[in-house]
Amino acid sequence: MTTALFFERLQAHFERKLPFVVYRKPNENTIYSILQNSDELYYANDFTEKGFVFSPFDDIDKTILIPLEACEIISLDNFHFTNKEKGVISLLKDIEEKEQQHHIAIVKKGVKEIKKGILRKVVLSRKEVHKLINPNPFTIFKKLLSTYVKGFVYCWCHPQVGLWLGATPETLIKIENQKFSVMALAGTQQYKGVENIVWQNKEIEEQQYVTDFITENIKTSVINISVSNSETVKSGNLLHLKSTITGTLNLKDINLKQFLRKLHPTPAVCGVPKPDAKAFILKNENYNREFYTGFLGELNFEMYRQPRAGKHNIEIRAYAVKKYTTQLYVNLRCMQLKDSNALIYVGGGITKLSSPESEWEETVSKAMVIKTVL
């Protein structure tokens, strides 16, 4: 299928107001699109379903499912985009001073709660609103594809829910049969041409909170757990600290939904202790995150290994070796398109060492990850 035909199919589906998702996995070339054949709203009940899931930040029971059984899958292998189109938003609205003041104020409040011993870490966020000049989501999606080859790049739409796009650097979990890997990603610095940098205690501590939380919360549901050393990874104009946790799922007494409830939201998007951090976020951020810092991706896909070529394929082949995979990503570096506006969501982890002014600047840097394609 040519690039032109692929996006013509997507545009026609979008104009018919039918649900779809189009995405490319990190460091891969193939773009997949899952086109639902009705506008029905499905939910993932116990996560034994097969399809693409989109889950909000604060309620896994409201995870939306695009079920494979009610869809057509199309793919594109040779995407090419010159990225010469004009910008699609107006940046006439500067960040309002009161928005900066509010974010600094809640960061100060968060640091105060941490120093009192109520919290150890909390992730606080905000959103920016920019007017769209060109509201076509596929123009933005193409630019995300060209700009962020290392991220999970997607455009998701359901007429009863909304339209989201993003280029997230963070994997929540990958499962192949029962083998899993989980990413612990936290800490942020601006990329200035080199990745061999010195991390401060604040960022090191922040990333360690995430690693410790994940290993502690999932240890009763896994075997052969292993944690890698932390490393620096680049995402757009930012650098982060990452470690990887691997092992084998032991789902005899717990199902995948229960396991994900233990895992998500991690301290990378919520805080420690999780219940107190989540309560602080919902009380103080003064807006609804919706699907920002939720998760999305493939659930229980059947993949086939070809004996001769050794490649994976979604198509059913009687002679191939079948396995089941789940690949879920944290919804970061994302935006929602609504009422001819782009709503850009950004946040950062707060610890006792946080500087409120520096935390504000970090959200400005993260917003630029998305605004550079707009």
Side-chain angles (χ1 to χ4, degrees), residues 308-345:
R308 288 174 293 178
K311 295 182 179 180
H312 297 83
N313 199 312
I314 292 179
E315 297 175 1
I316 296 177
R317 302 288 177 88
Y319 55 85
V321 178
K322 181 169 66 175
K323 60 183 179 179
Y324 293 91
T325 68
T326 291
Q327 298 187 35
L328 304 177
Y329 300 84
V330 183
N331 194 26
L332 303 176
R333 312 296 188 272
C334 64
M335 72 178 81
Q336 182 182 17
L337 304 190
K338 187 176 183 180
D339 299 329
S340 297
N341 292 316
L343 283 60
I344 300 173
Y345 296 81

Side-chain angles (χ1 to χ4, degrees), residues 77-96:
D77 291 322
N78 299 304
F79 170 73
H80 178 71
F81 182 56
T82 59
N83 206 11
K84 293 181 180 179
E85 296 185 38
K86 295 181 179 179
V88 297
I89 64 170
S90 169
L91 296 177
L92 297 177
K93 170 190 171 295
D94 292 328
I95 298 170
E96 296 179 1

